[in-house]
């Protein structure tokens, strides 16, 4: 057995002795001793270097593990090779290149693909398979009552041909000493490859998988087995009650990165309770609420109707009532589907386009706004 470090309540251990990677050492690290043996006094050069490292570390901690994140590609034509039902109202689709022998673009945990469904509907679904397998992608879709995209995805059958765009990453998996992963329901799809990657890298982690019931929670059979370095908990609401943020964050140690994907209330509750300075990464199912909104107007074309945008609605909500055919997808400002040309006006751009979605002079209807009373003229 290889001599790998393990995390327990007292810190890292190797061969029975604690190393510097412990909760105590993170809270009160010992200053470096003088390189020239001056009575055990701290070394001034090393202290200066430590201060530089402290400024750089928050940036390097956001680097993705392994090689550089792949850049998004153009359109990919794929075929549905397999349709599975891993849980109630969940369809898992295995997608392979439409042309045999073609390797799919590389991806990393946290990546998603834009799936072009019938009638030009575009939806984002997280890749939940094995990043090393370039012969197939795997996505999982939960059926939503009245949901256009999920309805179209659930109607797919083996042999159907689809167009994908991407892969893209709006949920990057960063290096960390250890991890806390929390998944709510279908939120397990982007988290599961992260859990596998942490497990393969011998990084200690705690993984809490929540859902309404075991019958509704896909991929229970794909979870890693619990071990000294892997604390895996399946926590359905019908057995334990709704999850509590304080319970989920119990025992969180410095140096732990928190990853959560699931319903907005779960994410918001954890974000409010996580200790200051803790790396926190999240991906939500629904659009974020409008915060500090101001009333403004959009004009559809230079001679089209003028539509008021209230403080608590997005421009996309308003435009969809006038133009129901307007394309949109993520509603969170990263996919670029609802970005339209801006003919005049000064916007507040709040989108965060990923590598394949340059902002340019466009306006993201789903999240971007304008000052009180401003009128934006959109190329619609």
């Amino acid at each position: 057995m290889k001599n790998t470090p393990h995390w327990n309540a007292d810190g890292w251990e190797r061969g029975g002795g604690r190393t510097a990677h412990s909760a105590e050492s993170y809270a009160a690290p010992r200053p470096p001793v003088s390189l020239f043996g001056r009575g055990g006094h701290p070394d001034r050069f090393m202290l200066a270097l430590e201060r530089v490292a402290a400024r750089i570390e928050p940036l390097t901690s956001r680097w993705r593990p392994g090689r550089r994140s792949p850049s998004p590609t153009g359109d990919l034509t794929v075929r549905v090779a397999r349709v599975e039902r891993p849980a109630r109202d969940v369809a898992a689709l295995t997608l392979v290149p439409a042309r045999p022998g073609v390797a799919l673009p590389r991806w990393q945990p946290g990546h998603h693909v834009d799936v072009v469904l019938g009638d030009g509907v575009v939806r984002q679904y997280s890749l939940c398979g094995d990043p090393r397998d370039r012969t197939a992608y795997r996505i999982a879709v939960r059926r939503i009552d009245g949901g256009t995209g999920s309805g179209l995805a659930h109607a797919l059958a083996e042999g159907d041909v689809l167009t994908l765009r991407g892969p893209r990453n709006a949920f990057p998996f960063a290096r960390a000493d250890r991890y806390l992963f929390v998944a709510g329901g279908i939120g397990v799809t982007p988290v599961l490859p992260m859990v596998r990657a942490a497990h393969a890298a011998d990084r200690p982690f705690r993984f809490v998988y929540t859902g309404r019931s075991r019958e509704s929670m896909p991929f229970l059979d794909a979870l890693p087995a619990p071990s000294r370095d892997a604390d895996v908990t399946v926590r359905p609401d019908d057995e334990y009650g709704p999850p509590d943020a304080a319970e989920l964050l119990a025992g969180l140690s410095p140096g732990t990165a928190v990853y959560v994907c699931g319903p907005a209330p779960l994410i918001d509750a954890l974000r409010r309770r996580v200790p200051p300075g803790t790396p926190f990464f999240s991906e939500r199912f629904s659009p974020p609420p409008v915060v500090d909104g101001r009333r403004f107007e959009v004009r559809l074309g230079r001679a089209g109707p003028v539509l008021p945008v209230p403080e608590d609605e997005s421009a996309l909500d308003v435009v969809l009532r006038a133009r129901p055919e307007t394309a949109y997808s993520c509603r969170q400002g990263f996919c670029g589907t609802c970005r339209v040309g801006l003919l005049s006006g000064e916007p507040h751009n709040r989108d965060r386009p990923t590598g394949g979605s340059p902002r340019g002079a466009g306006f993201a209807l789903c999240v971007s706004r304008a000052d009180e009373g401003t009128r934006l003229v959109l190329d619609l």
Side-chain angles (χ1 to χ4, degrees):
M1 182 186 300
K2 61 182 178 179
N3 186 22
T4 56
H6 299 289
W7 173 258
N8 60 25
D10 298 320
W12 287 88
E13 295 182 350
R14 184 186 295 273
R18 250 181 52 205
T19 73
H21 295 287
S22 68
E24 292 88 346
S25 66
Y26 277 112
R30 186 176 63 183
V33 177
S34 171
L35 295 177
F36 302 101
R38 295 170 180 165
H41 295 297
D43 186 89
R44 286 181 292 179
F45 173 76
M46 293 299 294
L47 285 175
L49 188 62
E50 191 176 64
R51 286 193 290 269
V52 172
R55 292 179 178 273
I56 296 175
E57 190 276 334
L59 302 176
T60 60
S61 68
R62 295 179 180 272
W63 292 351
R64 301 166 180 86
R67 68 182 69 205
R68 179 176 296 180
S69 179
S71 299
T73 65
D75 289 357
L76 306 169
T77 305
V78 296
R79 175 176 54 82
V80 179
R82 188 181 308 115
V83 179
E84 301 167 279
R85 308 288 172 176
R88 186 176 62 228
D89 294 329
V90 175
L93 308 176
T94 299
L95 309 174
V96 300
R99 291 173 50 200
V102 174
L104 291 168
R106 300 180 188 277
W107 64 281
Q108 293 174 351
H111 271 79
H112 68 267
V113 287
D114 305 340
V115 182
V116 183
L117 299 162
D119 300 323
V121 172
V122 181
R123 294 292 183 268
Q124 277 75 41
Y125 297 113
S126 297
L127 293 170
C128 57
D130 184 352
R132 297 169 300 179
D133 182 5
R134 299 184 62 191
T135 66
Y137 286 161
R138 196 182 194 199
I139 61 174
V141 183
R142 184 180 297 282
R143 184 191 297 276
I144 300 173
D145 290 340
T148 301
S150 67
L152 291 169
H154 273 250
L156 292 170
E158 293 182 7
D160 287 347
V161 175
L162 293 170
T163 297
L164 306 182
R165 296 169 187 157
R168 311 176 193 272
N169 199 348
F171 192 28
F173 183 42
R175 289 188 178 95
D177 292 325
R178 50 197 171 275
Y179 298 92
L180 169 62
F181 300 107
V182 180
I186 199 65
V188 73
T189 51
V191 172
L192 190 55
M194 298 181 182
V195 171
R196 292 174 180 146
H199 192 56
D202 292 325
R203 295 296 175 96
F205 66 88
R206 179 173 172 235
F207 175 35
V208 184
Y209 184 12
T210 71
R212 294 187 177 182
S213 65
R214 292 180 186 270
E215 293 73 23
S216 69
M217 299 166 68
F219 307 132
L220 288 174
D221 58 347
L223 305 184
S227 66
R228 186 161 53 176
D229 287 340
D231 182 353
V232 180
T233 302
V234 177
R235 194 190 182 289
D237 296 353
D238 62 353
E239 297 178 27
Y240 298 93
D244 177 74
E247 173 194 344
L248 296 177
L249 294 172
L252 191 70
S253 302
T256 301
V258 178
Y259 279 82
V260 55
C261 183
L266 174 65
I267 296 173
D268 294 340
L270 289 171
R271 191 189 302 275
R272 286 192 297 268
R273 294 295 298 267
V274 75
T278 299
F280 186 90
F281 304 86
S282 65
E283 188 169 61
R284 62 175 66 223
F285 301 149
S286 58
V290 177
V291 178
D292 297 328
R294 299 289 186 271
R295 292 180 63 87
F296 66 101
E297 297 177 338
V298 294
R299 183 168 211 153
L300 308 188
R302 296 193 184 279
V306 175
L307 309 176
V309 180
E311 298 93 334
D312 58 350
E313 287 192 288
S314 70
L316 177 63
D317 295 328
V318 172
V319 170
L320 282 173
R321 288 197 286 270
R323 302 276 179 85
E325 72 280 5
T326 302
Y328 70 93
S329 185
C330 75
R331 301 181 70 115
Q332 298 178 52
F334 61 78
C335 75
T337 304
C338 72
R339 194 175 297 120
V340 298
L342 181 66
L343 300 178
S344 67
E346 293 295 328
H348 291 309
N349 291 310
R350 298 184 177 180
D351 54 327
R352 47 190 182 97
T354 54
S357 302
R359 177 184 289 155
F363 179 79
L365 294 171
C366 62
V367 293
S368 296
R369 301 190 69 82
D371 285 334
E372 181 85 28
T374 296
R375 177 178 296 178
L376 304 179
V377 181
L378 307 178
D379 190 11
L380 276 174

